[in-house]
Amino acid sequence: DIQMTQSPSSLSASVGDRVTITCRASQTISSSLNWYQHKPGKAPKVLIYFASSLQSGVPSRFSGSGSGTDFTLTISSLQPEDFATYYCQQSYSTPRTFGQGTKVEIK
Amino acid sequence: QLQLQESGPGLVKPSETLSLTCNVSGGSISSSNYYWGWIRQPPGKGLDWIGSIHYTGSTYYNPSLKSRVTISVDTSKNQFSLKLNSVTAADTAVYYCARATSGGPNDYWGQGTLVTVSS
């Protein structure tokens, strides 16, 4: 199985801050990397697919980059509705493993 | 607009079989471009990929669950199902059904259903 490691596990930030979350794969996954936002009581929502493609309807303050084994999700200016847990997932091979999650909290 | 909805018992006894169904509406499950899968989240933990199925019947399972899990599809009813046998308390989780594109993300999800394993 491909292991996905996110960092940090949690972070505190203020509205307007630039936030960066990283995800590392245990082996190369090309650009087969997705980012999800998950809020309590809701289904996860895809933000970014194929490492850097913005899902339709997702605000442009979200962006993704990387290829191979190292990937980044950036929120350029954190908004109140962005406080949530974020997960990366590789779709290179099955099982389609997720990172352990990064909880973004209000400072 | 595609919609997915999970259904099934919310309480299952230890050693019994967990059975869930995902009904797909607003689109056909019989599309060559998509896979239909199950993902779970135990309380206080992260997301865990269980497995997926193509409408042709090809299945892909997480090796950690492979000996206990079966995913099936019923194209006539536009739905797919999950069976997990010999459950323990560790299988208590919110179970989501979701659509995946080939090599891409899970782009549509059900709302999730909590299944508790307890006597």
Side-chain angles (χ1 to χ4, degrees):
Chain A
D1 299 3
I2 298 174
Q3 307 303 316
M4 307 301 294
T5 304
Q6 283 181 240
S7 61
S9 297
S10 65
L11 65 90
S12 295
S14 300
V15 172
D17 283 354
R18 182 181 182 89
V19 169
T20 299
I21 299 168
T22 63
C23 180
R24 174 165 287 177
S26 61
Q27 64 187 74
T28 183
I29 57 171
S30 186
S31 295
S32 299
L33 191 282
N34 312 303
W35 289 100
Y36 299 87
Q37 178 190 68
H38 194 196
K39 296 181 179 179
K42 299 281 189 72
K45 172 186 172 184
V46 59
L47 303 173
I48 302 287
Y49 62 97
F50 292 139
S52 61
S53 294
L54 190 68
Q55 178 74 355
S56 176
V58 173
S60 60
R61 62 181 179 273
F62 292 94
S63 64
S65 64
S67 66
T69 60
D70 294 311
F71 302 87
T72 300
L73 172 70
T74 299
I75 309 172
S76 60
S77 177
L78 198 66
Q79 298 302 300
E81 60 268 32
D82 300 337
F83 292 95
T85 300
Y86 294 83
Y87 294 91
C88 62
Q89 180 206 31
Q90 62 83 15
S91 48
Y92 184 80
S93 66
T94 59
R96 290 186 165 201
T97 40
F98 290 89
Q100 81 277 17
T102 296
K103 188 173 184 179
V104 177
E105 299 176 300
I106 301 172
K107 182 182 282 185
Chain B
Q1 176 76 348
L2 190 75
Q3 292 187 322
L4 288 78
Q5 178 69 56
E6 305 91 350
S7 62
L11 181 64
V12 181
K13 290 182 168 57
S15 80
E16 296 190 346
T17 297
L18 179 158
S19 296
L20 295 173
T21 296
C22 182
N23 186 66
V24 179
S25 59
S28 174
I29 204 170
S30 300
S31 169
S32 60
N33 296 326
Y34 302 113
Y35 295 78
W36 307 90
W38 294 93
I39 295 152
R40 68 181 183 178
Q41 183 179 37
K45 296 188 177 181
L47 299 170
D48 184 28
W49 187 85
I50 299 171
S52 64
I53 190 165
H54 191 256
Y55 84 97
T56 56
S58 297
T59 52
Y60 308 86
Y61 297 134
N62 192 323
S64 67
L65 298 168
K66 189 172 184 178
S67 62
R68 299 195 292 131
V69 67
T70 302
I71 299 175
S72 58
V73 65
D74 187 336
T75 55
S76 67
K77 295 182 178 179
N78 220 40
Q79 61 186 206
F80 61 105
S81 299
L82 169 70
K83 290 189 184 299
L84 183 65
N85 59 37
S86 304
V87 296
T88 70
D91 295 309
T92 294
V94 175
Y95 285 77
Y96 296 98
C97 61
R99 186 183 84 169
T101 60
S102 179
N106 293 99
D107 57 353
Y108 284 92
W109 295 65
Q111 64 185 26
T113 186
L114 175 63
V115 179
T116 301
V117 179
S118 175
S119 56

